[in-house]
Amino acid sequence: MQEGGGVDVLAGDGRAAPEEDAAATCFDVTISNQHLLFSDGAKRVRRPGGASLPGPAALVRARQLAVKIIELYPVNDLLTFGLAWSDFPIMCGDGFGRMVESWGISCNVGGGPTNVGADGTEVAFNPPLIAGDVLRVECHSERNHALVTVERHGMALFEHAFDLPPLPAGMDYVLGATLPNDCVLEVIAEVLILTVHGSLCGDDGTVVIACSTLGGREVFAGQLDVNSTVAELRSAVHTARQAAREAPASIRLLTPGAALLSEEGDAQTLQDALDLV
């Protein structure tokens, strides 16, 4: 948990840009407002109630960020979320989308719509944010493109795509939020649910494995020994996703019958776990 202390008012410090498709797993306290309270390994941030902290920002250097609104109270203040050039102010700013060289959403949580702002200009209006909403931002700087999405009850409430200008030399993007009083946000990890299909290949003890999302996208395909464990399959899936530069995620494996292959059963062989005969 971080409290107090002097801070620089700019986010950028000349560090190398994050790899494309890198997803944030926690806030970066070294570039965030130090008057915010960080906990749980900087996955969670709270703005202290009653504190006079205009526009305190919690930031990351990443290409993707997903946060859940844990607590939100009806105060006359803004919750903003999005991306900006890396000289974005961590205090005394107007927030994401409301300032030039920033793109995102802003909502006066005391009442009012959620405004979409691009480079300081409001471009759209949407329903207000509430506790439980999940906010996501993706930055594809190589394509000069970004996407902000708001999800409610597991469904997309609205999204907005942004066209970004070319970055000046030496500049990069930061993602994050500015918080109203008593607001609590938490960085959430993506959960990837995969169905595992396996079949024996001949008599040599080889299993042909294919792991697909519920939507049918194949994430992993390969051959393993029939006596390989579920843990070894889980590791192979992680390695394949890293090689494909996919965002980090918590992986859930299911049998074709929708039974969960929990981590407690990772010592099982594939033959037993998938009932291969």
Side-chain angles (χ1 to χ4, degrees), residues 176-193:
T178 65
L179 286 72
N181 275 342
D182 293 309
C183 176
V184 178
L185 302 178
E186 182 174 278
V187 177
I188 59 174
E190 299 294 329
V191 177
L192 184 64
I193 300 175

Side-chain angles (χ1 to χ4, degrees), residues 6-255:
V7 295
D8 295 329
V9 297
L10 301 182
D13 66 0
R15 291 194 206 177
E19 289 188 4
E20 286 300 331
D21 298 327
T25 57
C26 62
F27 292 107
D28 187 339
V29 298
T30 67
I31 61 170
S32 299
N33 189 299
Q34 299 294 295
H35 294 285
L36 295 170
L37 304 179
F38 294 92
S39 59
D40 192 19
K43 292 180 181 178
R44 183 172 287 211
V45 61
R46 180 173 76 88
R47 176 178 172 177
S52 179
L53 305 172
L59 303 177
V60 300
R61 290 185 181 88
R63 290 295 176 246
Q64 300 177 49
L65 171 66
V67 302
K68 184 174 184 178
I69 303 175
I70 304 299
E71 297 180 28
L72 192 64
Y73 300 95
V75 296
N76 185 29
D77 203 353
L78 292 171
L79 169 59
T80 79
F81 177 80
L83 71 157
W85 288 1
S86 52
D87 58 355
F88 184 79
I90 59 175
M91 65 186 304
C92 300
D94 286 336
F96 290 96
R98 296 168 58 86
M99 299 184 65
V100 296
E101 299 162 4
S102 76
W103 298 262
I105 58 176
S106 63
C107 179
N108 187 323
V109 298
T114 301
N115 302 328
V116 177
D119 204 17
T121 301
E122 291 181 342
V123 295
F125 303 92
N126 294 281
L129 302 175
I130 62 174
D133 286 350
V134 173
L135 316 179
R136 302 180 188 275
V137 58
E138 301 175 19
C139 174
H140 303 283
S141 56
E142 80 288 359
R143 302 199 304 267
N144 294 328
H145 177 81
L147 180 69
V148 172
T149 305
V150 177
E151 297 177 4
R152 182 170 297 171
H153 307 309
M155 304 289 289
L157 182 64
F158 65 87
E159 65 179 29
H160 193 91
F162 298 94
D163 293 322
L164 306 175
L167 276 170
M171 194 72 71
D172 192 39
Y173 286 102
V174 291
L175 317 180
T178 65
L179 286 72
N181 275 342
D182 293 309
C183 176
V184 178
L185 302 178
E186 182 174 278
V187 177
I188 59 174
E190 299 294 329
V191 177
L192 184 64
I193 300 175
L194 300 176
T195 300
V196 181
H197 297 274
S199 61
L200 291 172
C201 179
D203 299 323
D204 62 355
T206 299
V207 181
V208 177
I209 294 289
C211 299
S212 303
T213 66
L214 299 182
R217 180 175 69 89
E218 188 173 85
V219 173
F220 171 80
Q223 295 184 358
L224 296 172
D225 187 86
V226 70
N227 292 315
S228 298
T229 63
V230 173
E232 289 173 306
L233 171 60
R234 200 182 302 275
S235 176
V237 172
H238 277 293
T239 299
R241 296 188 71 249
Q242 288 176 344
R245 304 185 71 181
E246 294 193 22
S250 177
I251 294 176
R252 302 289 185 268
L253 299 178
L254 304 179
T255 69

